[in-house]
Amino acid sequence: MPHIQFTKNDLIKTPCEQDGVNFNFCAKSYNFTQKHRKTEYKIAVRNDNKDFLLTLKEKDDSLLIKADKVTRVTPVDIVKSALNAYVKAIDGNIEFSNTNNFHQRVEPEKEYLKDIEYFVNDFNPNREIQIEVGFGSGRHLIHQAIQNPDVLFIGLEIHTPSIEQMLKQVKLQNITNILAINYDARLFMEFIHSNKVGKIFVHFPVPWDKKPHRRVYSNEFINEALRVLKIGGTLELRTDSRKYFDYCTHLLTNLNKGRITIDINKDLEVSSKYEDRWKKQGKNIYDVVLNCSQEDEEKIVENNFDFEQKVNFDEIKETIETKPIVRQDYFLHLEVIYITEDNTVLIKLTFGSFNRPLSKYIMIKNGDVSYFQGNPIPTSANLKAHQELKKILTNDNS
């Protein structure tokens, strides 16, 4: 991570500008608990039309300034130039720096790699969709895309090297009907329209025998899958784990309605190298296919992260809840508070889904509250945590 260690007692006077970098405010940590005893500062920066924070804190007899992990931006050279500009603005004496190796490297265009914002705001295809959860090397996903050129395939994978490997093959083979995303499938389904998907493949998911709460399959995931599947669409599990097979069949046979088919050691047109190895070892491969037989109403995705009421921080700062608030399907944790000289308040918080927690900052200025760097992704867990946050900030105990 880029950082500079330097000596200088004076903080930057904000707002100010140095070498094209704007420093908007400097907020000091407010120790409302004993957890955070050392003073730390968050410095709001705008550089190259991007807003982010820098972290400034004591290190031995010096100061250390570095990028804030929560508000990271790309390319990293934007952060490096901001760090250099800060130290230059206060005429700091640099003891160590790793911010002078500017590469000016342009990242290659990844036409078929999308972020979750694309699926939330812009995704509206006019053809059938099929989804593969955890595509690994991409062998099965690519085979399906080649065999079904009129279908749009979405591949979900949280292992970055696997995504890169798959996208290389997409480019080499000139495949144009695959989109990839690094995101949790259990949250992703919320943003797909009802009755639009032909097939959902879940091939060889991690069994998570010791941490079953991390499994892809759950009652919630199955219900979301049935919502997005069109009539005749299928949710297809393929696994080498007998425990996972038993677990999933238990969930599927306890649905109110539905039809499942089960196969053992069924041959597919394409298989992974791991599947080939398991078959040679005599290991069983289990298939469980759920068939969708009814249409669902379109799901309305709420996207309201507004704070309707003004907040008087002085009235709540002594009683504000700092312990994690854990509910059945979401959580909220206010971690650290920072305050500027003009009483602008910055609060770091982590919230949302247990599967994919989100860290953000909120800013309270003249009583108005907003999320720094824009609103969160509107998952149901994030929205519920937002409602909890509003109660805390307005001291609403209902």
Side-chain angles (χ1 to χ4, degrees):
M1 178 181 291
H3 62 277
I4 301 176
Q5 187 170 329
F6 65 99
T7 55
K8 183 71 176 181
N9 292 327
D10 297 334
L11 293 172
I12 197 167
K13 301 297 182 182
T14 58
C16 71
E17 183 269 340
Q18 175 71 48
D19 295 342
V21 180
N22 291 289
F23 299 95
N24 297 322
F25 65 79
C26 180
K28 181 180 179 181
S29 57
Y30 170 71
N31 292 336
F32 58 96
T33 70
Q34 292 301 309
K35 178 181 177 182
H36 304 282
R37 296 183 179 180
K38 284 191 175 181
T39 299
E40 183 177 272
Y41 296 89
K42 295 294 179 181
I43 301 158
V45 178
R46 185 167 181 80
N47 188 19
D48 197 24
N49 294 318
K50 295 185 178 181
D51 294 298
F52 55 98
L53 298 173
L54 301 178
T55 299
L56 178 68
K57 57 184 177 181
E58 297 175 357
K59 181 176 175 62
D60 300 326
D61 295 326
S62 306
L63 293 173
L64 180 72
I65 189 166
K66 60 182 181 179
D68 171 72
K69 292 181 180 179
V70 173
T71 62
R72 64 180 64 188
V73 293
T74 57
V76 70
D77 288 346
I78 294 175
V79 179
K80 289 181 178 181
S81 63
L83 293 170
N84 290 333
Y86 179 90
V87 177
K88 182 177 179 180
I90 63 167
D91 194 25
N93 180 34
I94 296 176
E95 296 181 339
F96 174 83
S97 172
N98 63 356
T99 62
N100 293 320
N101 54 336
F102 284 81
H103 298 298
Q104 297 296 335
R105 185 178 68 181
V106 178
E107 290 292 325
E109 191 93 16
K110 295 188 177 72
E111 181 181 357
Y112 301 110
L113 178 62
K114 303 295 184 181
D115 56 27
I116 190 60
E117 285 84 1
Y118 169 78
F119 289 97
V120 173
N121 300 314
D122 303 316
F123 184 64
N124 189 24
N126 56 4
R127 52 176 164 166
E128 181 182 317
I129 305 165
Q130 294 188 18
I131 298 171
E132 179 158 357
V133 176
F135 56 76
S137 68
R139 187 184 294 185
H140 177 266
L141 180 64
I142 289 172
H143 172 81
Q144 292 293 334
I146 293 173
Q147 296 300 314
N148 302 278
D150 295 330
V151 175
L152 177 61
F153 287 84
I154 302 173
L156 292 109
E157 178 59 65
I158 60 173
H159 185 237
T160 302
S162 294
I163 295 174
E164 296 290 341
Q165 180 181 347
M166 190 276 292
L167 289 176
K168 286 180 182 177
Q169 289 302 314
V170 165
K171 184 175 182 180
L172 287 172
Q173 300 184 51
N174 195 28
I175 300 169
T176 60
N177 60 329
I178 291 179
L179 298 178
I181 178 172
N182 182 337
Y183 207 70
D184 193 301
R186 294 165 292 185
L187 305 178
F188 174 80
M189 292 294 188
E190 293 189 31
F191 305 111
I192 299 297
H193 290 294
S194 300
N195 315 305
K196 293 292 186 182
V197 179
K199 294 181 179 181
I200 302 172
F201 303 100
V202 185
H203 285 191
F204 303 104
V206 177
W208 291 113
D209 291 335
K210 294 183 179 180
K211 297 180 180 179
H213 66 280
R214 298 193 65 178
R215 288 169 173 164
V216 172
Y217 265 66
S218 66
N219 287 320
E220 293 76 17
F221 174 78
I222 293 169
N223 288 332
E224 278 294 292
L226 286 171
R227 180 186 63 79
V228 304
L229 286 169
K230 63 183 184 180
I231 292 179
T234 54
L235 171 62
E236 305 185 9
L237 171 72
R238 189 168 176 86
T239 181
D240 63 299
S241 167
R242 180 57 191 255
K243 285 185 178 180
Y244 201 86
F245 165 76
D246 290 340
Y247 164 77
C248 293
T249 51
H250 173 74
L251 294 178
L252 295 169
T253 52
N254 278 280
L255 295 172
N256 291 330
K257 60 172 60 179
R259 179 169 60 87
I260 67 169
T261 57
I262 295 174
D263 285 285
I264 301 176
N265 297 324
K266 177 173 67 175
D267 288 326
L268 301 183
E269 294 179 354
V270 61
S271 64
S272 70
K273 61 181 180 180
Y274 299 106
E275 182 177 344
D276 294 338
R277 183 187 306 166
W278 294 328
K279 286 182 176 179
K280 287 180 181 179
Q281 295 173 353
K283 195 173 185 180
N284 287 330
I285 306 296
Y286 304 95
D287 284 272
V288 187
V289 178
L290 172 65
N291 189 283
C292 179
S293 59
Q294 66 181 40
E295 285 192 348
D296 276 77
E297 293 183 357
E298 188 58 65
K299 182 174 183 177
I300 299 174
V301 178
E302 297 288 342
N303 197 0
N304 183 2
F305 286 98
D306 293 339
F307 295 88
E308 290 84 4
Q309 300 181 38
K310 284 186 173 289
V311 171
N312 187 331
F313 182 72
D314 287 333
E315 291 182 356
I316 64 171
K317 65 182 180 181
E318 300 300 332
T319 59
I320 195 167
E321 182 59 66
T322 60
K323 294 181 180 179
I325 299 171
V326 181
R327 305 293 188 230
Q328 183 176 354
D329 49 1
Y330 71 93
F331 78 99
L332 172 65
H333 184 200
L334 279 66
E335 298 185 36
V336 193
I337 293 177
Y338 303 86
I339 304 177
T340 69
E341 289 185 352
D342 65 355
N343 290 322
T344 296
V345 179
L346 194 70
I347 304 178
K348 179 185 176 184
L349 46 109
T350 304
F351 60 97
S353 168
F354 303 102
N355 301 324
R356 196 177 180 92
L358 177 66
S359 292
K360 292 281 286 183
Y361 289 91
I362 59 168
M363 189 164 61
I364 306 172
K365 186 172 184 179
N366 299 324
D368 295 321
V369 189
S370 60
Y371 285 95
F372 189 80
Q373 285 188 323
N375 289 340
I377 296 300
T379 64
S380 57
N382 288 349
L383 287 160
K384 290 175 182 177
H386 173 74
Q387 294 301 319
E388 191 82 44
L389 175 62
K390 288 201 297 184
K391 291 181 180 180
I392 292 174
L393 295 179
T394 56
N395 215 7
D396 181 358
N397 298 318
S398 61

